[in-house]
Amino acid sequence: MTEAIRVGVVGAGFFGTMIAGACAAHDAFAVTAVADALPDAAQRLAEPLGARVHADAAALAADDDVDLVVVATPNHLHAEPAIAGLRAGKHVFVEKPLGIDASSISAILAAARDASGRLVVGHVMRAFPGVRRMVAQARGGELGTVLEAAGARRRLVHVPADPGDWWKLDRRRSGGELLHEIHELDLVVWALGEPIDVTGVSGAPLAHGEHVVDSVTETVLRTPSGALGRHSVSTSAHRAEWWFRISGTTASVEADFRQGTVTRFVDGAATEVTGVFDDEASNDSLREAARAAQAYNTGGPGPLWMRTAVTCELDEIAAAVRGTSTTLTELPASAALTALRSNASAAEDRR
Ligand SMILES: NC(=O)c1ccc[n+]([C@@H]2O[C@H](COP(=O)([O-])OP(=O)(O)OC[C@H]3O[C@@H](n4cnc5c(N)ncnc54)[C@H](O)[C@@H]3O)[C@@H](O)[C@H]2O)c1
């Protein structure tokens, strides 16, 4: 039997807890260590898993019982634990976005270049089975010549009435809505490859208490082949949309995440409908989530579709660590760098 990959989790908050729970339930992983800036949070997560607590990411990276460091700290604090893990010879999984500024992103990439371990980025939607099939069809020529990839994540995100000093509403720590909600932009860039041109436009900012968030951001990009990418993100849209599409000269494929479906279109007609996930219960869970109000960190174990998504991601992380998959390792920085270029372009446009 293959030995379990021993996991050290840095950041025992909402998503670190979600990943640790999914690792504990997955045959390929065992959680052996936890570190958090709040010792109580680390202890709460570590104890039921029988994991040890470390004072910080450096101590966790030095632990001989850790093969894979999972970085689930706030977005602006990914570089230090990721670089510590890579320099200590560990595999490193960094939650999305890889970073929120160019210098920390290039520091992580430089550490990864010199490292024996793999750098895996938490672009979880690449691991959805329906999405993987869409990109495989595009790469396999089943859509003809690829002309366009597009994606949207637009919904009303409810924030607590008194969010206090919450990093997710502070763009200096979150990177802003486009970086924080980067999933579909990553799919566009993953499907098309590195863009040469990136243009961003942002709508009027909205106030949430003392915090200001981007209401809408639109990004358009172009690749060397001339294929176009389009992306739209909003956390203040009453008409919700959540989809990803790849279009070629012979067919288009579209994932509608609110419906749990992936549809192939030829000449305007739907010719095949399959699922986003391979089990109908998880697709039903997506449909149910689409009917509910959206909020950050509602706590608890999360809906079925999210647990299935993280399990699919863990399958890909295990395969990446064992050298049999590149789904989560290719173009690690492209989405974050594209988002930074879009934001810079939008800021220039506002001036
Ligand atoms: N893939 C997804 O769909 C998804 C969903 C939610 C969050 N995330 C990502 O996961 C990461 C964590 O988000 P979250 O929602 O769990 O946030 P969170 O605020 O709930 O948790 C962050 C944790 O990190 C700890 N922390 C802060 N600084 C630290 C440091 N220097 N060293 C160690 N621990 C430190 C905090 O005490 C907290 O427990 C973010 O990058 C976020 O973008 C991804």
Side-chain angles (χ1 to χ4, degrees):
M1 206 179 91
T2 321
E3 298 220 344
I5 298 163
R6 297 166 302 172
V7 177
V9 178
V10 184
F14 166 60
F15 226 64
T17 299
M18 167 81 78
I19 293 174
C23 283
H26 195 296
D27 288 347
F29 297 91
V31 181
T32 52
V34 178
D36 194 288
L38 303 172
D40 287 354
Q43 190 62 41
R44 245 190 331 271
L45 179 56
E47 205 169 271
L49 299 173
R52 68 179 68 122
V53 171
H54 288 290
D56 54 32
L60 182 140
D63 187 334
D64 287 339
D65 288 331
V66 170
D67 305 308
L68 169 73
V69 175
V70 166
V71 178
T73 49
N75 296 349
H76 66 305
L77 296 174
H78 287 176
E80 193 185 318
I83 292 168
L86 289 164
R87 287 195 179 145
K90 314 294 186 187
H91 303 287
V92 171
F93 170 82
V94 183
E95 256 310 338
K96 50 60 40 183
L98 181 59
I100 63 167
D101 60 79
S103 64
S104 63
I105 291 170
S106 48
I108 296 173
L109 292 184
R113 265 193 300 275
D114 296 337
S116 54
R118 310 290 302 270
L119 171 66
V120 187
V121 184
H123 292 305
V124 58
M125 293 182 74
R126 295 188 189 186
F128 291 11
V131 169
R132 289 178 60 198
R133 283 191 285 269
M134 289 169 68
V135 173
Q137 283 175 27
R139 290 181 180 179
E142 292 172 48
L143 308 179
T145 302
V146 172
L147 303 173
E148 186 185 26
R153 172 179 291 234
R154 301 166 53 81
R155 70 228 203 272
L156 192 70
V157 174
H158 293 262
V159 297
D162 181 14
D165 182 32
W166 199 21
W167 69 265
K168 287 185 184 174
L169 295 179
D170 176 3
R171 64 180 305 119
R172 287 164 308 177
R173 290 178 280 174
S174 73
E177 281 55 51
L178 180 57
L179 276 142
H180 189 63
E181 307 252 338
I182 200 166
H183 292 291
E184 295 73 21
L185 181 63
D186 174 68
L187 294 184
V188 168
V189 174
W190 185 47
L192 295 181
E194 299 273 359
I196 43 171
D197 300 319
V198 179
T199 303
V201 184
S202 278
L206 286 177
H208 279 297
E210 68 201 61
H211 299 292
V212 174
V213 302
D214 292 324
S215 54
V216 188
T217 299
E218 302 284 322
T219 303
V220 180
L221 56 89
R222 194 163 54 95
T223 68
S225 74
L228 282 194
R230 294 185 292 119
H231 176 258
S232 178
V233 68
S234 173
T235 54
S236 45
H238 286 270
R239 171 72 172 100
E241 291 172 63
W242 188 22
W243 54 268
F244 169 55
R245 185 188 309 140
I246 311 175
S247 298
T249 48
T250 57
S252 293
V253 277
E254 179 178 284
D256 184 335
F257 301 107
R258 290 170 55 80
Q259 296 296 329
T261 54
V262 176
T263 307
R264 182 179 175 92
F265 293 92
V266 177
D267 198 10
T271 57
E272 185 187 29
V273 183
T274 54
V276 168
F277 293 109
D278 288 342
D279 66 297
E280 259 324 286
S282 297
N283 293 323
D284 283 343
S285 170
L286 272 172
R287 289 187 270 275
E288 197 176 319
R291 288 193 289 272
Q294 306 287 296
Y296 289 138
N297 299 25
T298 43
L304 174 64
W305 75 262
M306 200 182 278
R307 285 178 277 132
T308 303
V310 173
T311 302
C312 294
E313 182 173 48
L314 289 180
D315 293 342
E316 288 305 309
I317 297 171
V321 164
R322 291 173 176 150
T324 58
S325 170
T326 57
T327 299
L328 294 176
T329 56
E330 53 191 36
L331 301 177
S334 293
L337 293 174
T338 301
L340 289 172
R341 288 172 71 185
S342 174
N343 280 343
S345 160
E348 186 66 28
D349 182 58
R350 252 185 247 119
R351 256 188 234 124

